[in-house]
């Protein structure tokens, strides 16, 4: 039995970080994917293994099923029985990963490996199998590689979990899960994200699962809310990867620490960001009948992105490299904001409909001279897809 599943990365148009503290945020999927292929091996053989082949990194790891069972204990694994990773289990998973002597330059991968072992064994138990992962997303740079990895993995595992394979429905030339299964995939991926991020809002796994553009709000007491948004005009975004490495978990906790030090001030900033997201959601869905209306809409959108970037700087998650992108693009009156956790990573630049190709090329060339990598993305494509 085998299955292939892919899930997209994302951009956040407004509201990152504030969303962790209950503000609304707007995110959209992009056309860069993580793909997970799992082939199950027949059980009952000797030397059964759970293998993980991270193709992009040239890392091939495996754990004997008997060892995993001995360390993690018996479990009643099934895709429909959602569970969280306890701190005790995380400790056991970290022991299992530590034995693999991951090269120091890949040490940031560890949390992804804990998430892999947790999701695999919680959904499929100790069934032997080989998982191959490839990704088009730069890792740890704000485009949601962690969520797309967790969503693609959870999707593949659930598709192989008993009782779920029949719920895959055919849609033109692609396959997708039924809505209730999609929700389950997103929830499992959220549990994986908790291992990688510590305190995720849930926006990344939600947009990677459902695709398109969404407004997301983490309700602090009840469940989160997700509203699909229908953008009435295409949004073209230039992405600049500053190549400055950073880690979402530590940036999210640095914002929480600042919020503990200055609760009222930070709460006002989060409220302001919430208003930006609310306004942006209305704006993207508002009709624009002619060129003048489109320009007016784009001006407003750029202003909102600019204000959001100012507030992200104010909560301490910008970076010299991000400010360089903001200044460089501003020379051509283009607005940029960081996307994801910040601290380096990727920056979005809105590309207005009437911007000439020559100006776009000039901006890209200046950014590349700074050592950054630029690329255009399609915004708002499909979410998780499964190929049985
Ligand atoms: N393809 C992958 N395979 C294994 N782990 C991954 C993969 N993609 C992401 N991860 C995990 O997610 C981490 C990056 O997540 P994060 O810091 O949230 O940045 P982002 O989600 O913006 O890329 C990596 O360090 C790794 O642990
Ligand atoms: C900073 C945050 O809002 C987004 C993080 O995105 P990324 O992992 O940097 O792609 C955290 C979250 O919402 O979980
Ligand atoms: Mg992430």
């Amino acid at each position: 039995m085998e299955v292939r599943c892919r899930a997209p990365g994302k951009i956040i148009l407004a509201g990152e970080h504030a969303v962790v503290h209950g503000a609304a945020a707007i995110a959209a999927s992009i056309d860069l994917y993580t793909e997970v292929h799992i082939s199950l091996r027949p059980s009952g053989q000797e030397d059964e293994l759970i293998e993980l082949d991270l193709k992009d990194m040239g890392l091939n790891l495996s754990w004997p099923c008997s060892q995993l069972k001995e360390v993690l204990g018996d479990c009643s694994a099934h895709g429909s029985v959602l569970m969280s990773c306890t701190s005790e289990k995380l400790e056991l998973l970290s022991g299992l990963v530590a034995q693999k002597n991951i090269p120091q330059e890949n040490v940031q991968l560890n949390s992804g490996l804990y998430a892999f072992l947790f999701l695999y064994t919680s959904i499929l138990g100790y069934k032997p199998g080989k998982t191959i992962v490839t990704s088009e997303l730069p890792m740890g740079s704000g485009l949601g590689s962690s969520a797309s990895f967790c969503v693609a993995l959870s999707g593949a595992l659930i598709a192989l979990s008993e009782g779920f394979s029949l719920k895959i429905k055919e849609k033109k030339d692609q396959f997708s899960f039924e809505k209730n299964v999609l929700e389950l995939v997103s929830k499992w991926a959220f549990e994986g994200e908790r291992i990688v991020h510590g305190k995720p809002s849930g926006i990344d796994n939600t947009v990677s699962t459902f695709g398109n553009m969404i407004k997301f709000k983490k309700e602090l007491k009840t469940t989160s809310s997700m509203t699909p948004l229908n953008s009435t005009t295409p949004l073209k975004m230039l992405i600049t990867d500053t190549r400055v490495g950073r880690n979402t978990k530590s940036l999210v906790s640095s914002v929480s620490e600042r919020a503990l030090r200055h609760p009222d001030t930070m709460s006002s900033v989060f409220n302001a960001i919430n208003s930006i997201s609310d306004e942006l959601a209305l704006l993207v869905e508002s009709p624009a009948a002619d060129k003048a209306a489109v320009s007016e809409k784009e001006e407003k959108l750029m202003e909102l992105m600019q204000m959001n970037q100012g507030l992200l700087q104010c909560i301490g998650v910008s970076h010299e490299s991000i400010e360089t992108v903001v200044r460089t693009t501003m020379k051509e009156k283009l607005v940029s904001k960081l996307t994801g956790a910040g601290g380096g990573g990727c920056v979005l630049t809105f590309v207005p409909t009437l911007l000439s190709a020559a100006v776009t090329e000039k901006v890209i060339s200046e950014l590349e001279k700074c050592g950054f990598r630029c690329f255009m993305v399609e915004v708002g494509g499909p979410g998780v897809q499964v190929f049985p």
Side-chain angles (χ1 to χ4, degrees):
M1 269 209 326
E2 58 184 292
V3 74
R4 192 161 60 85
C5 200
R6 67 171 202 172
K10 62 93 225 288
I11 52 171
I12 297 186
L13 290 159
E16 50 273 270
H17 286 290
V19 69
V20 175
H21 301 268
I26 314 292
S29 59
I30 54 173
D31 59 339
L32 295 174
Y33 297 86
T34 299
E35 188 167 300
V36 169
H37 177 275
I38 305 182
S39 45
L40 291 181
R41 309 266 198 244
S43 296
Q45 320 269 316
E46 272 182 36
D47 305 328
E48 288 177 341
L49 295 173
I50 290 180
E51 291 180 75
L52 175 63
D53 186 356
L54 298 173
K55 281 266 181 259
D56 311 309
M57 283 149 260
L59 264 185
N60 211 318
L61 306 165
S62 64
W63 292 265
C65 296
S66 53
Q67 184 202 13
L68 291 175
K69 193 168 178 181
E70 195 183 309
V71 174
L72 301 174
D74 272 330
C75 65
S76 52
H78 197 272
S80 60
V81 186
L82 200 70
M83 59 179 117
S84 297
C85 186
T86 60
S87 49
E88 293 77 21
K89 190 162 218 174
L90 196 54
E91 191 95 338
L92 299 173
L93 295 172
S94 95
L96 288 162
V97 169
Q99 294 164 0
K100 300 294 162 196
N101 298 319
I102 309 288
Q104 192 55 32
E105 67 266 26
N106 288 330
V107 77
Q108 79 285 359
L109 256 187
N110 283 1
S111 59
L113 300 177
Y114 309 154
F116 166 75
L117 285 174
F118 171 74
L119 291 170
Y120 192 107
T121 56
S122 302
I123 298 176
L124 288 186
Y126 304 112
K127 280 188 192 159
K130 178 164 182 169
T131 304
I132 301 173
V133 184
T134 51
S135 185
E136 298 165 342
L137 288 156
M139 203 187 290
S141 61
L143 298 183
S145 75
S146 59
S148 77
F149 171 63
C150 291
V151 171
L153 179 60
S154 303
L157 292 166
I158 283 180
L160 291 169
S161 183
E162 272 153 42
F164 283 102
S165 25
L166 297 177
K167 292 189 179 141
I168 294 163
K169 64 176 182 190
E170 201 171 349
K171 244 209 262 160
K172 290 190 190 142
D173 58 343
Q174 58 176 244
F175 293 81
S176 77
F177 292 105
E178 301 282 353
K179 188 158 182 284
N180 61 330
V181 185
L182 279 178
E183 270 155 19
L184 195 61
V185 170
S186 183
K187 283 181 182 160
W188 273 114
F190 179 70
E191 295 304 330
E193 276 278 86
R194 287 179 61 181
I195 297 174
V196 182
H197 279 197
K199 198 184 163 197
S201 61
I203 190 170
D204 285 9
N205 52 284
T206 304
V207 74
S208 179
T209 303
F210 293 94
N212 301 314
M213 190 184 292
I214 61 164
K215 179 177 176 187
F216 180 91
K217 196 160 183 157
K218 174 183 139 188
E219 304 296 347
L220 296 176
K221 295 219 167 59
T222 56
T223 54
S224 301
S225 67
M226 190 269 282
T227 318
L229 296 176
N230 287 315
S231 178
T232 49
T233 42
L235 299 180
K236 210 165 145 193
M237 290 286 170
L238 170 69
I239 297 198
T240 303
D241 185 355
T242 62
R243 302 180 204 250
V244 173
R246 71 334 150 261
N247 170 292
T248 302
K249 189 174 184 175
S250 61
L251 284 150
V252 168
S253 65
S254 77
V255 172
S256 296
E257 281 159 22
R258 193 177 280 216
L260 284 176
R261 287 196 297 277
H262 312 283
D264 293 344
T265 309
M266 288 290 276
S267 152
S268 302
V269 178
F270 295 147
N271 278 335
I273 295 178
N274 183 67
S275 302
I276 290 176
S277 297
D278 281 347
E279 207 181 319
L280 192 66
L282 290 175
L283 188 67
V284 294
E285 291 200 307
S286 66
D290 51 30
K291 274 188 189 163
V294 171
S295 288
E296 194 187 326
K297 186 172 164 175
E298 291 183 343
E299 285 298 325
K300 281 190 185 160
L301 188 136
M302 289 197 283
E303 227 164 48
L304 289 170
M305 282 175 63
Q306 191 172 36
M307 286 191 274
N308 196 170
Q309 172 59 26
L311 293 169
L312 285 160
Q313 205 231 5
C314 145
I315 63 174
V317 295
S318 194
H319 183 269
E320 215 182 291
S321 60
I322 296 173
E323 299 300 324
T324 302
V325 178
V326 171
R327 277 196 312 274
T328 308
T329 56
M330 192 39 84
K331 285 189 213 160
E332 297 298 334
K333 298 193 170 49
L334 297 178
V335 165
S336 303
K337 77 170 267 295
L338 68 86
T339 187
C346 287
V347 184
L348 299 179
T349 303
F350 179 70
V351 182
T353 325
L354 293 178
L355 191 76
S356 71
V359 173
T360 312
E361 273 162 34
K362 185 173 167 211
V363 171
I364 291 177
S365 146
E366 272 216 45
L367 291 167
E368 288 180 345
K369 271 190 217 143
C370 302
F372 306 145
R373 186 172 74 97
C374 296
F375 48 98
M376 291 286 184
V377 285
E378 292 286 328
V379 176
V384 65
Q385 291 168 282
V386 63
F387 307 91

